[in-house]
Structure formats: structure tokens, C-alpha cells
mmCIF file with all atom_site columns, all heavy atoms in Angstrom:
data_model
loop_
_atom_site.group_PDB
_atom_site.id
_atom_site.type_symbol
_atom_site.label_atom_id
_atom_site.label_alt_id
_atom_site.label_comp_id
_atom_site.label_asym_id
_atom_site.label_entity_id
_atom_site.label_seq_id
_atom_site.pdbx_PDB_ins_code
_atom_site.Cartn_x
_atom_site.Cartn_y
_atom_site.Cartn_z
_atom_site.occupancy
_atom_site.B_iso_or_equiv
_atom_site.pdbx_formal_charge
_atom_site.auth_seq_id
_atom_site.auth_comp_id
_atom_site.auth_asym_id
_atom_site.auth_atom_id
_atom_site.pdbx_PDB_model_num
ATOM 1   N N   . PRO T 1 1  ? 0.783   -1.246  0.000   1.00 0.00 ? 21 PRO T N   1
ATOM 2   C CA  . PRO T 1 1  ? 0.000   0.000   0.000   1.00 0.00 ? 21 PRO T CA  1
ATOM 3   C C   . PRO T 1 1  ? 0.813   1.293   0.000   1.00 0.00 ? 21 PRO T C   1
ATOM 4   O O   . PRO T 1 1  ? 0.467   2.224   -0.728  1.00 0.00 ? 21 PRO T O   1
ATOM 5   C CB  . PRO T 1 1  ? -0.870  -0.123  1.257   1.00 0.00 ? 21 PRO T CB  1
ATOM 6   C CG  . PRO T 1 1  ? -1.043  -1.608  1.427   1.00 0.00 ? 21 PRO T CG  1
ATOM 7   C CD  . PRO T 1 1  ? 0.259   -2.224  0.980   1.00 0.00 ? 21 PRO T CD  1
ATOM 8   N N   . PRO T 1 2  ? 1.892   1.404   0.787   1.00 0.00 ? 22 PRO T N   1
ATOM 9   C CA  . PRO T 1 2  ? 2.633   2.675   0.753   1.00 0.00 ? 22 PRO T CA  1
ATOM 10  C C   . PRO T 1 2  ? 3.169   3.030   -0.626  1.00 0.00 ? 22 PRO T C   1
ATOM 11  O O   . PRO T 1 2  ? 3.222   4.201   -0.995  1.00 0.00 ? 22 PRO T O   1
ATOM 12  C CB  . PRO T 1 2  ? 3.772   2.427   1.752   1.00 0.00 ? 22 PRO T CB  1
ATOM 13  C CG  . PRO T 1 2  ? 3.270   1.370   2.663   1.00 0.00 ? 22 PRO T CG  1
ATOM 14  C CD  . PRO T 1 2  ? 2.448   0.475   1.798   1.00 0.00 ? 22 PRO T CD  1
ATOM 15  N N   . LEU T 1 3  ? 3.566   2.007   -1.396  1.00 0.00 ? 23 LEU T N   1
ATOM 16  C CA  . LEU T 1 3  ? 4.101   2.287   -2.725  1.00 0.00 ? 23 LEU T CA  1
ATOM 17  C C   . LEU T 1 3  ? 2.998   2.516   -3.747  1.00 0.00 ? 23 LEU T C   1
ATOM 18  O O   . LEU T 1 3  ? 3.209   3.212   -4.734  1.00 0.00 ? 23 LEU T O   1
ATOM 19  C CB  . LEU T 1 3  ? 5.002   1.136   -3.173  1.00 0.00 ? 23 LEU T CB  1
ATOM 20  C CG  . LEU T 1 3  ? 6.304   0.963   -2.383  1.00 0.00 ? 23 LEU T CG  1
ATOM 21  C CD1 . LEU T 1 3  ? 7.166   -0.125  -2.997  1.00 0.00 ? 23 LEU T CD1 1
ATOM 22  C CD2 . LEU T 1 3  ? 7.081   2.274   -2.319  1.00 0.00 ? 23 LEU T CD2 1
ATOM 23  N N   . ARG T 1 4  ? 1.820   1.939   -3.532  1.00 0.00 ? 24 ARG T N   1
ATOM 24  C CA  . ARG T 1 4  ? 0.708   2.170   -4.471  1.00 0.00 ? 24 ARG T CA  1
ATOM 25  C C   . ARG T 1 4  ? 0.305   3.634   -4.504  1.00 0.00 ? 24 ARG T C   1
ATOM 26  O O   . ARG T 1 4  ? -0.201  4.131   -5.503  1.00 0.00 ? 24 ARG T O   1
ATOM 27  C CB  . ARG T 1 4  ? -0.507  1.326   -4.074  1.00 0.00 ? 24 ARG T CB  1
ATOM 28  C CG  . ARG T 1 4  ? -0.313  -0.160  -4.226  1.00 0.00 ? 24 ARG T CG  1
ATOM 29  C CD  . ARG T 1 4  ? -1.573  -0.892  -3.812  1.00 0.00 ? 24 ARG T CD  1
ATOM 30  N NE  . ARG T 1 4  ? -1.266  -2.201  -3.262  1.00 0.00 ? 24 ARG T NE  1
ATOM 31  C CZ  . ARG T 1 4  ? -2.124  -2.951  -2.588  1.00 0.00 ? 24 ARG T CZ  1
ATOM 32  N NH1 . ARG T 1 4  ? -3.360  -2.505  -2.357  1.00 0.00 ? 24 ARG T NH1 1
ATOM 33  N NH2 . ARG T 1 4  ? -1.774  -4.139  -2.128  1.00 0.00 ? 24 ARG T NH2 1
ATOM 34  N N   . SER T 1 5  ? 0.498   4.325   -3.380  1.00 0.00 ? 25 SER T N   1
ATOM 35  C CA  . SER T 1 5  ? 0.106   5.729   -3.302  1.00 0.00 ? 25 SER T CA  1
ATOM 36  C C   . SER T 1 5  ? 1.211   6.676   -3.755  1.00 0.00 ? 25 SER T C   1
ATOM 37  O O   . SER T 1 5  ? 1.039   7.902   -3.704  1.00 0.00 ? 25 SER T O   1
ATOM 38  C CB  . SER T 1 5  ? -0.312  6.081   -1.872  1.00 0.00 ? 25 SER T CB  1
ATOM 39  O OG  . SER T 1 5  ? 0.765   5.848   -0.967  1.00 0.00 ? 25 SER T OG  1
ATOM 40  N N   . HIS T 1 6  ? 2.322   6.126   -4.210  1.00 0.00 ? 26 HIS T N   1
ATOM 41  C CA  . HIS T 1 6  ? 3.418   6.968   -4.694  1.00 0.00 ? 26 HIS T CA  1
ATOM 42  C C   . HIS T 1 6  ? 2.932   7.781   -5.897  1.00 0.00 ? 26 HIS T C   1
ATOM 43  O O   . HIS T 1 6  ? 2.263   7.254   -6.792  1.00 0.00 ? 26 HIS T O   1
ATOM 44  C CB  . HIS T 1 6  ? 4.601   6.094   -5.092  1.00 0.00 ? 26 HIS T CB  1
ATOM 45  C CG  . HIS T 1 6  ? 5.821   6.873   -5.478  1.00 0.00 ? 26 HIS T CG  1
ATOM 46  N ND1 . HIS T 1 6  ? 6.008   7.409   -6.744  1.00 0.00 ? 26 HIS T ND1 1
ATOM 47  C CD2 . HIS T 1 6  ? 6.932   7.203   -4.762  1.00 0.00 ? 26 HIS T CD2 1
ATOM 48  C CE1 . HIS T 1 6  ? 7.170   8.025   -6.786  1.00 0.00 ? 26 HIS T CE1 1
ATOM 49  N NE2 . HIS T 1 6  ? 7.749   7.919   -5.604  1.00 0.00 ? 26 HIS T NE2 1
ATOM 50  N N   . PRO T 1 7  ? 3.228   9.081   -5.957  1.00 0.00 ? 27 PRO T N   1
ATOM 51  C CA  . PRO T 1 7  ? 2.735   9.923   -7.055  1.00 0.00 ? 27 PRO T CA  1
ATOM 52  C C   . PRO T 1 7  ? 3.101   9.394   -8.439  1.00 0.00 ? 27 PRO T C   1
ATOM 53  O O   . PRO T 1 7  ? 2.290   9.462   -9.370  1.00 0.00 ? 27 PRO T O   1
ATOM 54  C CB  . PRO T 1 7  ? 3.395   11.278  -6.776  1.00 0.00 ? 27 PRO T CB  1
ATOM 55  C CG  . PRO T 1 7  ? 3.661   11.273  -5.303  1.00 0.00 ? 27 PRO T CG  1
ATOM 56  C CD  . PRO T 1 7  ? 3.964   9.868   -4.949  1.00 0.00 ? 27 PRO T CD  1
ATOM 57  N N   . GLY T 1 8  ? 4.304   8.865   -8.590  1.00 0.00 ? 28 GLY T N   1
ATOM 58  C CA  . GLY T 1 8  ? 4.703   8.345   -9.892  1.00 0.00 ? 28 GLY T CA  1
ATOM 59  C C   . GLY T 1 8  ? 3.889   7.136   -10.309 1.00 0.00 ? 28 GLY T C   1
ATOM 60  O O   . GLY T 1 8  ? 3.551   6.970   -11.489 1.00 0.00 ? 28 GLY T O   1
ATOM 61  N N   . ILE T 1 9  ? 3.554   6.293   -9.343  1.00 0.00 ? 29 ILE T N   1
ATOM 62  C CA  . ILE T 1 9  ? 2.727   5.105   -9.618  1.00 0.00 ? 29 ILE T CA  1
ATOM 63  C C   . ILE T 1 9  ? 1.318   5.540   -9.992  1.00 0.00 ? 29 ILE T C   1
ATOM 64  O O   . ILE T 1 9  ? 0.735   5.065   -10.983 1.00 0.00 ? 29 ILE T O   1
ATOM 65  C CB  . ILE T 1 9  ? 2.706   4.172   -8.395  1.00 0.00 ? 29 ILE T CB  1
ATOM 66  C CG1 . ILE T 1 9  ? 4.113   3.631   -8.103  1.00 0.00 ? 29 ILE T CG1 1
ATOM 67  C CG2 . ILE T 1 9  ? 1.706   3.054   -8.601  1.00 0.00 ? 29 ILE T CG2 1
ATOM 68  C CD1 . ILE T 1 9  ? 4.670   2.750   -9.196  1.00 0.00 ? 29 ILE T CD1 1
ATOM 69  N N   . ARG T 1 10 ? 0.744   6.431   -9.214  1.00 0.00 ? 30 ARG T N   1
ATOM 70  C CA  . ARG T 1 10 ? -0.630  6.867   -9.463  1.00 0.00 ? 30 ARG T CA  1
ATOM 71  C C   . ARG T 1 10 ? -0.761  7.589   -10.795 1.00 0.00 ? 30 ARG T C   1
ATOM 72  O O   . ARG T 1 10 ? -1.758  7.437   -11.511 1.00 0.00 ? 30 ARG T O   1
ATOM 73  C CB  . ARG T 1 10 ? -1.090  7.754   -8.310  1.00 0.00 ? 30 ARG T CB  1
ATOM 74  C CG  . ARG T 1 10 ? -1.174  7.024   -6.977  1.00 0.00 ? 30 ARG T CG  1
ATOM 75  C CD  . ARG T 1 10 ? -1.501  7.946   -5.827  1.00 0.00 ? 30 ARG T CD  1
ATOM 76  N NE  . ARG T 1 10 ? -2.811  8.575   -5.988  1.00 0.00 ? 30 ARG T NE  1
ATOM 77  C CZ  . ARG T 1 10 ? -3.318  9.463   -5.141  1.00 0.00 ? 30 ARG T CZ  1
ATOM 78  N NH1 . ARG T 1 10 ? -2.610  9.836   -4.078  1.00 0.00 ? 30 ARG T NH1 1
ATOM 79  N NH2 . ARG T 1 10 ? -4.495  9.980   -5.343  1.00 0.00 ? 30 ARG T NH2 1
ATOM 80  N N   . SER T 1 11 ? 0.241   8.388   -11.157 1.00 0.00 ? 31 SER T N   1
ATOM 81  C CA  . SER T 1 11 ? 0.164   9.123   -12.419 1.00 0.00 ? 31 SER T CA  1
ATOM 82  C C   . SER T 1 11 ? 0.215   8.176   -13.610 1.00 0.00 ? 31 SER T C   1
ATOM 83  O O   . SER T 1 11 ? -0.481  8.376   -14.607 1.00 0.00 ? 31 SER T O   1
ATOM 84  C CB  . SER T 1 11 ? 1.290   10.150  -12.506 1.00 0.00 ? 31 SER T CB  1
ATOM 85  O OG  . SER T 1 11 ? 2.553   9.510   -12.580 1.00 0.00 ? 31 SER T OG  1
ATOM 86  N N   . ARG T 1 12 ? 1.001   7.129   -13.523 1.00 0.00 ? 32 ARG T N   1
ATOM 87  C CA  . ARG T 1 12 ? 1.066   6.164   -14.631 1.00 0.00 ? 32 ARG T CA  1
ATOM 88  C C   . ARG T 1 12 ? -0.239  5.397   -14.779 1.00 0.00 ? 32 ARG T C   1
ATOM 89  O O   . ARG T 1 12 ? -0.722  5.165   -15.889 1.00 0.00 ? 32 ARG T O   1
ATOM 90  C CB  . ARG T 1 12 ? 2.229   5.196   -14.424 1.00 0.00 ? 32 ARG T CB  1
ATOM 91  C CG  . ARG T 1 12 ? 3.585   5.827   -14.646 1.00 0.00 ? 32 ARG T CG  1
ATOM 92  C CD  . ARG T 1 12 ? 4.628   4.781   -14.916 1.00 0.00 ? 32 ARG T CD  1
ATOM 93  N NE  . ARG T 1 12 ? 5.967   5.357   -15.026 1.00 0.00 ? 32 ARG T NE  1
ATOM 94  C CZ  . ARG T 1 12 ? 7.035   4.687   -15.412 1.00 0.00 ? 32 ARG T CZ  1
ATOM 95  N NH1 . ARG T 1 12 ? 6.918   3.411   -15.718 1.00 0.00 ? 32 ARG T NH1 1
ATOM 96  N NH2 . ARG T 1 12 ? 8.214   5.261   -15.488 1.00 0.00 ? 32 ARG T NH2 1
ATOM 97  N N   . LEU T 1 13 ? -0.801  4.981   -13.660 1.00 0.00 ? 33 LEU T N   1
ATOM 98  C CA  . LEU T 1 13 ? -2.071  4.277   -13.727 1.00 0.00 ? 33 LEU T CA  1
ATOM 99  C C   . LEU T 1 13 ? -3.170  5.154   -14.317 1.00 0.00 ? 33 LEU T C   1
ATOM 100 O O   . LEU T 1 13 ? -4.061  4.668   -15.016 1.00 0.00 ? 33 LEU T O   1
ATOM 101 C CB  . LEU T 1 13 ? -2.486  3.795   -12.330 1.00 0.00 ? 33 LEU T CB  1
ATOM 102 C CG  . LEU T 1 13 ? -1.801  2.523   -11.819 1.00 0.00 ? 33 LEU T CG  1
ATOM 103 C CD1 . LEU T 1 13 ? -2.215  2.244   -10.383 1.00 0.00 ? 33 LEU T CD1 1
ATOM 104 C CD2 . LEU T 1 13 ? -2.131  1.339   -12.715 1.00 0.00 ? 33 LEU T CD2 1
ATOM 105 N N   . ALA T 1 14 ? -3.111  6.445   -14.041 1.00 0.00 ? 34 ALA T N   1
ATOM 106 C CA  . ALA T 1 14 ? -4.136  7.361   -14.547 1.00 0.00 ? 34 ALA T CA  1
ATOM 107 C C   . ALA T 1 14 ? -4.034  7.566   -16.056 1.00 0.00 ? 34 ALA T C   1
ATOM 108 O O   . ALA T 1 14 ? -4.983  8.040   -16.686 1.00 0.00 ? 34 ALA T O   1
ATOM 109 C CB  . ALA T 1 14 ? -4.037  8.705   -13.829 1.00 0.00 ? 34 ALA T CB  1
ATOM 110 N N   . MET T 1 15 ? -2.902  7.222   -16.652 1.00 0.00 ? 35 MET T N   1
ATOM 111 C CA  . MET T 1 15 ? -2.710  7.433   -18.090 1.00 0.00 ? 35 MET T CA  1
ATOM 112 C C   . MET T 1 15 ? -3.360  6.350   -18.954 1.00 0.00 ? 35 MET T C   1
ATOM 113 O O   . MET T 1 15 ? -3.550  6.552   -20.147 1.00 0.00 ? 35 MET T O   1
ATOM 114 C CB  . MET T 1 15 ? -1.208  7.473   -18.409 1.00 0.00 ? 35 MET T CB  1
ATOM 115 C CG  . MET T 1 15 ? -0.489  8.684   -17.899 1.00 0.00 ? 35 MET T CG  1
ATOM 116 S SD  . MET T 1 15 ? 1.264   8.622   -18.373 1.00 0.00 ? 35 MET T SD  1
ATOM 117 C CE  . MET T 1 15 ? 1.816   10.232  -17.805 1.00 0.00 ? 35 MET T CE  1
ATOM 118 N N   . VAL T 1 16 ? -3.665  5.197   -18.368 1.00 0.00 ? 36 VAL T N   1
ATOM 119 C CA  . VAL T 1 16 ? -4.163  4.076   -19.161 1.00 0.00 ? 36 VAL T CA  1
ATOM 120 C C   . VAL T 1 16 ? -5.469  3.566   -18.575 1.00 0.00 ? 36 VAL T C   1
ATOM 121 O O   . VAL T 1 16 ? -5.826  3.871   -17.435 1.00 0.00 ? 36 VAL T O   1
ATOM 122 C CB  . VAL T 1 16 ? -3.130  2.927   -19.212 1.00 0.00 ? 36 VAL T CB  1
ATOM 123 C CG1 . VAL T 1 16 ? -1.915  3.338   -20.013 1.00 0.00 ? 36 VAL T CG1 1
ATOM 124 C CG2 . VAL T 1 16 ? -2.713  2.506   -17.806 1.00 0.00 ? 36 VAL T CG2 1
ATOM 125 N N   . ARG T 1 17 ? -6.181  2.782   -19.389 1.00 0.00 ? 37 ARG T N   1
ATOM 126 C CA  . ARG T 1 17 ? -7.409  2.155   -18.904 1.00 0.00 ? 37 ARG T CA  1
ATOM 127 C C   . ARG T 1 17 ? -7.422  0.692   -19.338 1.00 0.00 ? 37 ARG T C   1
ATOM 128 O O   . ARG T 1 17 ? -6.664  0.273   -20.216 1.00 0.00 ? 37 ARG T O   1
ATOM 129 C CB  . ARG T 1 17 ? -8.639  2.887   -19.437 1.00 0.00 ? 37 ARG T CB  1
ATOM 130 C CG  . ARG T 1 17 ? -8.742  2.977   -20.940 1.00 0.00 ? 37 ARG T CG  1
ATOM 131 C CD  . ARG T 1 17 ? -9.821  3.966   -21.363 1.00 0.00 ? 37 ARG T CD  1
ATOM 132 N NE  . ARG T 1 17 ? -9.952  4.073   -22.805 1.00 0.00 ? 37 ARG T NE  1
ATOM 133 C CZ  . ARG T 1 17 ? -10.826 3.381   -23.537 1.00 0.00 ? 37 ARG T CZ  1
ATOM 134 N NH1 . ARG T 1 17 ? -11.649 2.533   -22.940 1.00 0.00 ? 37 ARG T NH1 1
ATOM 135 N NH2 . ARG T 1 17 ? -10.883 3.534   -24.841 1.00 0.00 ? 37 ARG T NH2 1
ATOM 136 N N   . HIS T 1 18 ? -8.304  -0.072  -18.706 1.00 0.00 ? 38 HIS T N   1
ATOM 137 C CA  . HIS T 1 18 ? -8.375  -1.492  -18.986 1.00 0.00 ? 38 HIS T CA  1
ATOM 138 C C   . HIS T 1 18 ? -8.829  -1.744  -20.424 1.00 0.00 ? 38 HIS T C   1
ATOM 139 O O   . HIS T 1 18 ? -9.709  -1.051  -20.943 1.00 0.00 ? 38 HIS T O   1
ATOM 140 C CB  . HIS T 1 18 ? -9.352  -2.177  -18.036 1.00 0.00 ? 38 HIS T CB  1
ATOM 141 C CG  . HIS T 1 18 ? -8.899  -2.188  -16.608 1.00 0.00 ? 38 HIS T CG  1
ATOM 142 N ND1 . HIS T 1 18 ? -8.051  -3.147  -16.111 1.00 0.00 ? 38 HIS T ND1 1
ATOM 143 C CD2 . HIS T 1 18 ? -9.179  -1.347  -15.584 1.00 0.00 ? 38 HIS T CD2 1
ATOM 144 C CE1 . HIS T 1 18 ? -7.836  -2.911  -14.820 1.00 0.00 ? 38 HIS T CE1 1
ATOM 145 N NE2 . HIS T 1 18 ? -8.495  -1.823  -14.478 1.00 0.00 ? 38 HIS T NE2 1
ATOM 146 N N   . GLY T 1 19 ? -8.222  -2.738  -21.050 1.00 0.00 ? 39 GLY T N   1
ATOM 147 C CA  . GLY T 1 19 ? -8.663  -3.139  -22.366 1.00 0.00 ? 39 GLY T CA  1
ATOM 148 C C   . GLY T 1 19 ? -9.987  -3.880  -22.282 1.00 0.00 ? 39 GLY T C   1
ATOM 149 O O   . GLY T 1 19 ? -10.451 -4.273  -21.210 1.00 0.00 ? 39 GLY T O   1
ATOM 150 N N   . MET T 1 20 ? -10.599 -4.096  -23.440 1.00 0.00 ? 40 MET T N   1
ATOM 151 C CA  . MET T 1 20 ? -11.862 -4.829  -23.492 1.00 0.00 ? 40 MET T CA  1
ATOM 152 C C   . MET T 1 20 ? -11.608 -6.299  -23.205 1.00 0.00 ? 40 MET T C   1
ATOM 153 O O   . MET T 1 20 ? -10.572 -6.855  -23.564 1.00 0.00 ? 40 MET T O   1
ATOM 154 C CB  . MET T 1 20 ? -12.488 -4.657  -24.877 1.00 0.00 ? 40 MET T CB  1
ATOM 155 C CG  . MET T 1 20 ? -13.955 -5.050  -24.951 1.00 0.00 ? 40 MET T CG  1
ATOM 156 S SD  . MET T 1 20 ? -14.650 -4.632  -26.574 1.00 0.00 ? 40 MET T SD  1
ATOM 157 C CE  . MET T 1 20 ? -16.386 -4.985  -26.297 1.00 0.00 ? 40 MET T CE  1
ATOM 158 N N   . GLY T 1 21 ? -12.560 -6.937  -22.532 1.00 0.00 ? 41 GLY T N   1
ATOM 159 C CA  . GLY T 1 21 ? -12.434 -8.345  -22.219 1.00 0.00 ? 41 GLY T CA  1
ATOM 160 C C   . GLY T 1 21 ? -12.589 -9.215  -23.461 1.00 0.00 ? 41 GLY T C   1
ATOM 161 O O   . GLY T 1 21 ? -12.915 -8.736  -24.553 1.00 0.00 ? 41 GLY T O   1
ATOM 162 N N   . SER T 1 22 ? -12.370 -10.501 -23.293 1.00 0.00 ? 42 SER T N   1
ATOM 163 C CA  . SER T 1 22 ? -12.499 -11.426 -24.417 1.00 0.00 ? 42 SER T CA  1
ATOM 164 C C   . SER T 1 22 ? -13.376 -12.606 -24.025 1.00 0.00 ? 42 SER T C   1
ATOM 165 O O   . SER T 1 22 ? -13.511 -12.955 -22.849 1.00 0.00 ? 42 SER T O   1
ATOM 166 C CB  . SER T 1 22 ? -11.120 -11.927 -24.866 1.00 0.00 ? 42 SER T CB  1
ATOM 167 O OG  . SER T 1 22 ? -10.493 -12.651 -23.829 1.00 0.00 ? 42 SER T OG  1
ATOM 168 N N   . PHE T 1 23 ? -13.973 -13.190 -25.041 1.00 0.00 ? 43 PHE T N   1
ATOM 169 C CA  . PHE T 1 23 ? -14.828 -14.369 -24.875 1.00 0.00 ? 43 PHE T CA  1
ATOM 170 C C   . PHE T 1 23 ? -14.305 -15.433 -25.830 1.00 0.00 ? 43 PHE T C   1
ATOM 171 O O   . PHE T 1 23 ? -14.126 -15.182 -27.025 1.00 0.00 ? 43 PHE T O   1
ATOM 172 C CB  . PHE T 1 23 ? -16.284 -14.034 -25.207 1.00 0.00 ? 43 PHE T CB  1
ATOM 173 C CG  . PHE T 1 23 ? -17.260 -15.136 -24.893 1.00 0.00 ? 43 PHE T CG  1
ATOM 174 C CD1 . PHE T 1 23 ? -18.006 -15.100 -23.733 1.00 0.00 ? 43 PHE T CD1 1
ATOM 175 C CD2 . PHE T 1 23 ? -17.438 -16.208 -25.766 1.00 0.00 ? 43 PHE T CD2 1
ATOM 176 C CE1 . PHE T 1 23 ? -18.913 -16.121 -23.432 1.00 0.00 ? 43 PHE T CE1 1
ATOM 177 C CE2 . PHE T 1 23 ? -18.327 -17.224 -25.472 1.00 0.00 ? 43 PHE T CE2 1
ATOM 178 C CZ  . PHE T 1 23 ? -19.068 -17.183 -24.307 1.00 0.00 ? 43 PHE T CZ  1
ATOM 179 N N   . LEU T 1 24 ? -14.032 -16.626 -25.316 1.00 0.00 ? 44 LEU T N   1
ATOM 180 C CA  . LEU T 1 24 ? -13.448 -17.690 -26.130 1.00 0.00 ? 44 LEU T CA  1
ATOM 181 C C   . LEU T 1 24 ? -14.326 -18.931 -26.118 1.00 0.00 ? 44 LEU T C   1
ATOM 182 O O   . LEU T 1 24 ? -15.013 -19.221 -25.125 1.00 0.00 ? 44 LEU T O   1
ATOM 183 C CB  . LEU T 1 24 ? -12.054 -18.061 -25.630 1.00 0.00 ? 44 LEU T CB  1
ATOM 184 C CG  . LEU T 1 24 ? -11.001 -16.948 -25.651 1.00 0.00 ? 44 LEU T CG  1
ATOM 185 C CD1 . LEU T 1 24 ? -10.854 -16.338 -24.258 1.00 0.00 ? 44 LEU T CD1 1
ATOM 186 C CD2 . LEU T 1 24 ? -9.674  -17.472 -26.140 1.00 0.00 ? 44 LEU T CD2 1
ATOM 187 N N   . VAL T 1 25 ? -14.265 -19.666 -27.229 1.00 0.00 ? 45 VAL T N   1
ATOM 188 C CA  . VAL T 1 25 ? -14.951 -20.955 -27.336 1.00 0.00 ? 45 VAL T CA  1
ATOM 189 C C   . VAL T 1 25 ? -13.906 -21.991 -27.739 1.00 0.00 ? 45 VAL T C   1
ATOM 190 O O   . VAL T 1 25 ? -13.202 -21.809 -28.736 1.00 0.00 ? 45 VAL T O   1
ATOM 191 C CB  . VAL T 1 25 ? -16.081 -20.925 -28.374 1.00 0.00 ? 45 VAL T CB  1
ATOM 192 C CG1 . VAL T 1 25 ? -16.816 -22.266 -28.387 1.00 0.00 ? 45 VAL T CG1 1
ATOM 193 C CG2 . VAL T 1 25 ? -17.058 -19.790 -28.081 1.00 0.00 ? 45 VAL T CG2 1
ATOM 194 N N   . PHE T 1 26 ? -13.799 -23.050 -26.953 1.00 0.00 ? 46 PHE T N   1
ATOM 195 C CA  . PHE T 1 26 ? -12.862 -24.129 -27.226 1.00 0.00 ? 46 PHE T CA  1
ATOM 196 C C   . PHE T 1 26 ? -13.652 -25.337 -27.723 1.00 0.00 ? 46 PHE T C   1
ATOM 197 O O   . PHE T 1 26 ? -14.549 -25.824 -27.032 1.00 0.00 ? 46 PHE T O   1
ATOM 198 C CB  . PHE T 1 26 ? -12.071 -24.480 -25.966 1.00 0.00 ? 46 PHE T CB  1
ATOM 199 C CG  . PHE T 1 26 ? -11.378 -23.300 -25.349 1.00 0.00 ? 46 PHE T CG  1
ATOM 200 C CD1 . PHE T 1 26 ? -11.912 -22.670 -24.228 1.00 0.00 ? 46 PHE T CD1 1
ATOM 201 C CD2 . PHE T 1 26 ? -10.210 -22.796 -25.895 1.00 0.00 ? 46 PHE T CD2 1
ATOM 202 C CE1 . PHE T 1 26 ? -11.281 -21.577 -23.654 1.00 0.00 ? 46 PHE T CE1 1
ATOM 203 C CE2 . PHE T 1 26 ? -9.567  -21.707 -25.336 1.00 0.00 ? 46 PHE T CE2 1
ATOM 204 C CZ  . PHE T 1 26 ? -10.099 -21.093 -24.215 1.00 0.00 ? 46 PHE T CZ  1
#
């Protein structure tokens, strides 16, 4: 937790978002 709140970590996370999920059929 202490490192998750680091400004450099938070700023990088704020730059990106989750990709779309996938659905597979085997």
C-alpha cells in the first residue's frame, strides 16, 4: 500500500485504462 500511493505510480495508472475483455470458445 505505501508504494501504491506513490505519485509516480498513481500518475502512470491514470494514463491508461483497462482493455476490453475477451470471450473464447474451445
